[in-house]
Amino acid sequence: MSLPPLTVPYTLAALSPILVVLYLMIFRNWGGSKAGPAGYLAAIIVAVLIFGADLTLLFVALGRSLLLALFVLYIIWMALLLYHVVNEAGAISVIGNELPGLARDRASQALLLGWVFGSFLQGASGFGVPAAVVAPLLVGLGFGPNPAVIIALVGHAWAVTFGSLGSSFYSLIAATGELGDILSGPSAGLLAIATLACGFAVLWETGKWAAVRQKWVQLLVVGFIMGGVQLGLAIAGLWSLAALGAGLAGLIVLFLDLRYSILDIYSWNNHIRRLRLRITGEKRFNNIYPGESVAVEETKDKKQLDRPALIKASLPYALLTIIIILGQLVFKEPLSIVRLDPIFPEVKTSFGWLTPAGPGRAISLLGHAGALLLYASILSFLWFKWRGAFNKSQEYSAVTIIKKTVRGSFKSTIGIFTLLAMAVTMQHAAMTQILAAALSVGTGPIFPLLSPFIGAFGAFMTGSNTNSNVVFGQLQQETAIALGISTTAILASQTAGGAIGSLFAPAKVIVGSSTVKGAQDSQVLKKATVYGLLIIALLSVVTWLVILLD
């Protein structure tokens, strides 16, 4: 196999499809569903006219792209279906309305809703839902419009890669051909660091050092638990459950803390002072939460949880957890009977770059994560039909749910398929390899420091970590190979950077701001970008150290 000459004209030609997508999305404000087809068309033209691709190569690349797209979209379609099954029943509103009653101070409310509940929503649904749901809840509790949106955006970013039932992680596997078992641990490990950083940013935005001093114990304990649970589930192969399980674990731990003050150092100080004051015979004292002075009797005025409603609303996620565990650990082999696994022929460019014959991305139609989501969606729908939906003002209809799912997935389907087709065409025509060679020559030993920023740039550009992994995953992989460094560490930094980069993507900022009256997109974007870049810089240093010590 031989590459075209590593010259500036060939490098620019290889880069041109990506530049087309960047230009259309950043400067023309096109979405992925419009910019993706344009990028794919540019890739076809350049591949044929400059890199010597023929029709056979283009059709083979298209066939592989269809399989890769189905591998990713199967999850996205079914995750969106489950979201509408639950949301149409009014269950998400019930969960969101019940949780604030647990928290008595602003820092706790920010952690509970912005960091933990938002991450749980990201694990279960994604697609901008955490920002759209959490920001209005925070405003209702007295947060300013801009801080509410910023907290909602920053808080759940660490859960993006394994969120949406793992769709972004599956896209990384699909785009690079790497084994998920190898990538999952390093990716979740980097994201565990991001978990703490996102929680710190939430507290800083809420009350700067006062909020951090007040809640640093909760930050560390809950952060380690969420990061650890995501890491453990990812290593166990339960990628679809990793973020969802981590968010659920965070909710349980923070629920126990807010109910019983098990992690609150100020509450323990108050218990000690209460005992001392009882001994001395005094009857009142002020609690010592920073920034507030509240009498003991007044701290007991808390909303009572509607436990039956909360349990009923949460059951779909319990069903989902059980189904995924059974499907991936117990019935994986029986469910793998029906598979899509075609063999594609060898193709070669006029320069001699050869893509050998072989299978594409195999898909288990009954055991894929998307199929497990479908089973959970059906059972959840039957559950709400049997027990009754929370929203009594409208009919709980399967037709409505399916219509909203189709309508909501249309643009993402076009965008993901065409961007994948662009990436696969570029790889088959040796365009990605040319870019990787140029990038390795141009960056050398500092490339690991740049890797998370490349992932973040892709997410900023496309509004999605999934798309970032598709557009830049192969490029990062090939560059790591050219430099002789760990592809696993680089791809982990790609998706971790993309996850954090998505928090200040203009598309996601607009989603969050659109649900809150008075929120200013420009101000939210500016501050969210600062938080995001600081976290990415931290991931950059960690990636560099990992590769240095490898």
Side-chain angles (χ1 to χ4, degrees):
M1 293 192 296
S2 60
L3 285 173
L6 185 58
T7 61
V8 172
Y10 277 107
T11 302
L12 290 176
L15 186 61
S16 60
I18 296 176
L19 292 178
V20 167
V21 173
L22 291 178
Y23 170 75
L24 293 176
M25 296 195 76
I26 296 175
F27 297 104
R28 305 297 294 179
N29 294 319
W30 285 21
S33 61
K34 294 173 66 178
Y40 180 32
L41 178 60
I44 291 174
I45 293 172
V46 173
V48 172
L49 297 182
I50 299 177
F51 288 89
D54 57 17
L55 284 177
T56 302
L57 185 148
L58 294 180
F59 277 115
V60 168
L62 176 62
R64 290 180 182 271
S65 303
L66 286 169
L67 272 181
L68 292 177
L70 181 59
F71 184 79
V72 176
L73 290 170
Y74 199 178
I75 300 170
I76 292 176
W77 293 335
M78 295 304 110
L80 198 57
L81 175 65
L82 179 62
Y83 167 71
H84 285 299
V85 165
V86 177
N87 191 51
E88 285 296 301
I92 289 179
S93 296
V94 169
I95 296 172
N97 289 331
E98 288 298 321
L99 290 179
L102 291 169
R104 60 182 169 184
D105 61 88
R106 186 155 293 189
S108 295
Q109 292 165 349
L111 286 178
L112 177 63
L113 293 175
W115 188 38
V116 180
F117 180 55
S119 301
F120 172 78
L121 286 179
Q122 179 63 32
S125 56
F127 313 108
V129 169
V133 170
V134 170
L137 292 174
L138 290 172
V139 171
L141 292 171
F143 286 75
N146 288 347
V149 178
I150 292 167
I151 289 169
L153 289 168
V154 175
H156 76 275
W158 66 272
V160 167
T161 288
F162 291 98
S164 306
L165 283 305
S167 60
S168 292
F169 186 69
Y170 278 96
S171 74
L172 184 67
I173 298 171
T176 63
E178 293 280 353
L179 293 175
D181 292 335
I182 295 175
L183 288 178
S184 58
S187 299
L190 269 182
L191 291 166
I193 297 171
T195 305
L196 290 168
C198 289
F200 182 89
V202 165
L203 288 177
W204 187 266
E205 181 63 24
T206 302
K208 296 190 169 51
W209 280 120
V212 174
R213 285 195 301 269
Q214 180 182 341
K215 295 296 176 183
W216 67 270
V217 176
Q218 289 89 335
L219 172 67
L220 291 178
V221 173
V222 177
F224 275 117
I225 288 174
M226 292 199 298
V229 168
Q230 179 167 263
L231 177 60
L233 291 173
I235 292 174
L238 297 172
W239 310 320
S240 299
L241 275 182
L244 176 65
L248 180 60
L251 280 174
I252 292 171
V253 173
L254 204 52
F255 170 83
L256 292 174
D257 174 49
L258 293 172
R259 295 291 287 181
Y260 304 110
S261 300
I262 56 177
L263 302 176
D264 195 330
I265 58 174
Y266 294 100
S267 179
W268 281 106
N269 286 338
N270 285 331
H271 288 318
I272 294 171
R273 295 179 69 216
R274 182 183 293 111
L275 179 62
R276 179 173 58 81
L277 292 172
R278 283 179 179 174
I279 293 173
T280 60
E282 297 183 37
K283 296 182 179 180
R284 291 174 64 90
F285 71 99
N286 286 335
N287 285 332
I288 56 173
Y289 285 90
E292 60 183 13
S293 178
V294 184
V296 176
E297 296 83 2
E298 294 172 343
T299 62
K300 297 178 182 178
D301 185 19
K302 297 172 68 175
K303 177 184 174 181
Q304 294 297 311
L305 282 178
D306 186 348
R307 286 189 178 85
L310 195 56
I311 292 171
K312 177 182 172 181
S314 303
L315 188 76
Y317 300 113
L319 286 173
L320 174 65
T321 302
I322 294 169
I323 288 171
I324 290 178
I325 291 174
L326 291 176
Q328 295 193 355
L329 297 183
V330 181
F331 299 109
K332 187 172 184 177
E333 290 303 319
L335 291 173
S336 299
I337 295 175
V338 183
R339 294 169 65 86
L340 281 179
D341 196 9
I343 302 296
F344 292 92
E346 174 186 293
V347 291
K348 186 163 58 174
T349 68
S350 61
F351 281 100
W353 180 260
L354 183 143
T355 302
R361 169 57 61 180
I363 300 174
S364 170
L365 294 179
L366 300 180
H368 189 276
L372 303 180
L373 279 165
L374 175 60
Y375 307 149
S377 299
I378 293 172
L379 290 177
S380 298
F381 176 79
L382 294 175
W383 162 255
F384 286 121
K385 272 292 189 182
W386 175 45
R387 302 299 296 174
F390 293 100
N391 192 349
K392 305 296 184 182
S393 61
Q394 61 186 34
E395 181 186 1
Y396 186 58
S397 166
V399 174
T400 301
I401 291 169
I402 293 172
K403 283 182 178 179
K404 288 189 174 183
T405 301
V406 172
R407 195 160 52 238
S409 62
F410 183 74
K411 289 185 177 180
S412 61
T413 297
I414 295 174
I416 288 172
F417 165 66
T418 52
L419 287 171
L420 270 169
M422 179 189 82
V424 174
T425 301
M426 290 175 64
Q427 184 186 41
H428 279 53
M431 297 160 67
T432 303
Q433 291 78 5
I434 283 283
L435 291 176
L439 193 57
S440 64
V441 170
T443 60
I446 69 166
F447 176 72
L449 291 171
L450 300 178
S451 180
F453 288 97
I454 294 173
F457 180 67
F460 174 84
M461 169 187 80
T462 64
S464 163
N465 187 28
T466 298
N467 290 343
S468 177
N469 288 340
V470 170
V471 174
F472 291 114
Q474 286 180 352
L475 177 60
Q476 298 243 39
Q477 180 187 38
E478 295 290 345
T479 305
I481 292 171
L483 288 169
I485 59 178
S486 169
T487 57
T488 302
I490 290 299
L491 290 177
S493 70
Q494 152 67 33
T495 193
I500 303 303
S502 68
L503 78 88
F504 54 88
K508 188 172 280 189
V509 169
I510 291 171
V511 169
S513 299
S514 65
T515 62
V516 173
K517 185 178 180 180
Q520 300 170 299
D521 291 348
S522 59
Q523 295 301 313
V524 170
L525 179 61
K526 180 179 178 181
K527 204 160 189 182
T529 300
V530 172
Y531 285 127
L533 290 178
L534 288 173
I535 297 172
I536 294 165
L538 174 62
L539 298 180
S540 173
V541 173
V542 173
T543 301
W544 180 73
L545 289 174
V546 167
I547 290 177
L548 185 67
L549 297 173
D550 187 17

